[in-house]
Amino acid sequence: MVHVSSGIDLFDDAVLADPYPTYARLRELGAVVRLDAHGVWALPRHAGVADALRDPITYSSERALALTDEVNERVLTDTVVGTDGAAHVRLRRVLSRQLAPRALKSLTAGIHAHARALVDALPSGEVFDGVADLAAPFVSGTVMRLMGLPDRDRARLLDLADATFDTFGPDSARTRAAFPRAEEMFAYLDRFAARGRVAPDSWLGAIHAAADRGDIDESQAVPLMLSYTVAGMDTTIHAVTTALHLLAGHPAQWRLVRERAVPGDAVFAEALRMEAPIQWFGRRAGRDIRIGDTVVPAGEQLLLLYGSAGRDRAKWGPTADTFDVTRPDSRDHLALGLGVHQCAGNHLAVLELDAVLTALGARFHTLAAAPDRAPTRRVHNILRGLHTLPLVAA
């Protein structure tokens, strides 16, 4: 079998801190590259990732998303992202009832009001943290209320969601350290999201109702809740703060956004293209897969590198590493998946970012990085986002 292999370790701290030079090397090596450090195959190019997402039979999500069997079997079994076929459709249907544009229409005014209240509390001309003072309380506060969980648990759930994602990595000290907190997420949901503890008209109440109707098995209720408690907060917080960070560094583009010359969904798409909140997901080869001159044997695991696909010059041209809210094809990014596994909460995430940008644009003419205070990131196995984001608006 002809194949290209590499000793690149995608989970080295230095690579996680700045993965884009490594992604560029992988794209140069080929359409599919064997990563010897982890015994998996990487798909670094936009075309290859898109092809895989369009074919969930050949590229299966079952027992495939994370790099260890323990997480695939103990954390991701019966989750909407870890199932295929009829099982996936059945689980996703429950989420879609709450997250479809029609269902979100009644929430729009309240979400915009929440964003305005937080923006109105920001100091004009003084430093604030775009994560702690805006994106995190806005997104998590919105989702906690819709889930029917107490706001006092917001910080705890954000920490547990972050840890749950960190378990997706290879068998390493970082991954093992996250595992007890991922298990704590299940324990929390077993206790605080039980029947009688969440409102029947909440998102989590709707999951219990689906189990009562027989739409899903009772055992699938808590795993399905992870779609809200894990995927519904961290990823959107990272997307919002990434957009703010990029806009703060590009005054002319912030002016376009403030003047509503570009729609919020275009800003969202370009921010996701530049910095995918989830940098990769795994898949399992459902059969022998020929990619160019390489055959990936059935049963082997592949990593779909969303973060690399977003910077692929074969797709985006020589400006692939440049932030541009007017880019005409930014909506072709793959950061939220594609096809049957496209993120069910993408409409809510767009609504949330648009509410933040609208509120900021209505109050502030300028948005800039705080002088002498750099943003910080936390090294993470799969998520990419800012831990702090010092900003000044006036």
Side-chain angles (χ1 to χ4, degrees):
M1 179 177 64
V2 177
H3 72 263
V4 177
S5 63
S6 171
I8 286 173
D9 180 1
L10 287 178
F11 302 95
D12 178 84
D13 283 4
V15 175
L16 291 172
D18 181 15
Y20 299 109
T22 299
Y23 289 157
R25 289 199 297 275
L26 288 173
R27 291 194 300 270
E28 290 173 1
L29 286 172
V32 60
V33 180
R34 178 76 174 179
L35 299 180
D36 293 335
H38 305 292
V40 299
W41 303 81
L43 295 178
R45 297 177 181 174
H46 184 278
V49 174
D51 286 346
L53 290 170
R54 293 189 186 102
D55 188 355
I57 296 176
T58 301
Y59 297 86
S60 173
S61 296
E62 293 183 355
R63 297 181 299 281
L65 266 71
L67 281 171
T68 65
D69 291 338
E70 184 176 23
V71 174
N72 283 323
E73 293 167 6
R74 292 179 59 184
V75 177
L76 295 170
T77 296
D78 284 335
T79 61
V80 70
V81 292
T83 52
D84 290 318
H88 172 78
V89 171
R90 186 165 59 251
L91 293 170
R92 186 182 174 95
R93 188 179 294 127
V94 178
L95 301 181
S96 296
R97 292 191 184 105
Q98 312 301 320
L99 295 170
R102 180 181 299 178
L104 296 175
K105 189 174 182 179
S106 63
L107 305 176
T108 300
I111 287 174
H112 275 266
H114 186 194
R116 284 195 301 272
L118 287 169
V119 168
D120 287 347
L122 298 175
S124 179
E126 298 179 14
V127 177
F128 66 91
D129 189 331
V131 181
D133 296 328
L134 184 54
F138 172 61
V139 173
S140 60
T142 297
V143 175
M144 291 291 285
R145 176 175 55 82
L146 293 171
M147 286 191 298
L149 294 174
D151 192 65
R152 66 176 181 271
D153 293 341
R154 198 159 30 97
R156 179 184 179 188
L157 279 191
L158 283 174
D159 176 66
L160 298 183
D162 179 269
T164 301
F165 269 124
D166 226 0
T167 66
F168 282 47
D171 186 7
S172 66
R174 181 184 297 114
T175 302
R176 290 191 293 273
F179 205 87
R181 292 182 7 253
E183 292 185 317
E184 188 181 339
M185 174 68 86
F186 281 86
Y188 175 92
L189 292 173
D190 274 330
R191 180 178 179 186
F192 293 102
R195 283 179 178 78
R197 301 203 69 164
V198 292
D201 61 351
S202 68
W203 283 355
L204 301 190
I207 290 176
H208 287 304
D212 291 340
R213 292 192 303 270
D215 294 345
I216 61 173
D217 296 335
E218 185 68 33
S219 63
Q220 296 174 312
V222 167
L224 185 56
M225 290 176 185
L226 293 178
S227 302
Y228 295 133
T229 59
V230 177
M233 294 194 287
D234 277 40
T235 53
T236 305
I237 291 169
H238 291 330
V240 171
T241 51
T242 291
L244 297 180
H245 182 215
L246 292 166
L247 288 168
H250 295 79
Q253 297 197 51
W254 165 246
R255 191 178 309 114
L256 291 175
V257 172
R258 184 174 60 81
E259 294 172 353
R260 309 299 287 177
V262 293
D265 66 328
V267 181
F268 185 67
E270 180 66 356
L272 290 174
R273 184 193 70 80
M274 288 288 293
E275 297 272 8
I278 296 175
Q279 288 281 292
W280 57 271
F281 265 158
R283 290 293 191 270
R284 190 78 62 184
R287 58 171 175 80
D288 289 354
I289 307 171
R290 178 170 289 280
I291 303 173
D293 294 328
T294 298
V295 174
V296 177
E300 292 275 285
Q301 191 173 24
L302 305 99
L303 299 189
L304 279 54
L305 301 183
Y306 304 138
S308 178
R311 302 290 188 100
D312 187 355
R313 292 193 172 203
K315 167 63 180 176
W316 312 105
T319 64
D321 293 309
T322 301
F323 177 65
D324 181 5
V325 295
T326 67
R327 189 182 299 275
D329 56 354
S330 60
R331 292 174 181 82
D332 292 343
H333 72 84
L334 302 172
L336 298 180
L338 188 69
V340 297
H341 278 287
Q342 187 173 40
C343 174
N346 68 92
H347 299 294
L348 175 60
V350 171
L351 173 58
E352 289 172 316
L353 177 63
D354 187 63
V356 168
L357 296 179
T358 300
L360 284 169
R363 184 174 177 213
F364 299 116
H365 284 274
T366 61
L367 179 70
D372 304 320
R373 291 179 59 179
T376 61
R377 297 184 186 274
R378 187 177 84 76
V379 175
H380 197 283
N381 279 328
I382 189 169
L383 295 180
R384 183 162 177 81
L386 293 164
H387 182 61
T388 64
L389 177 60
L391 296 170
V392 177

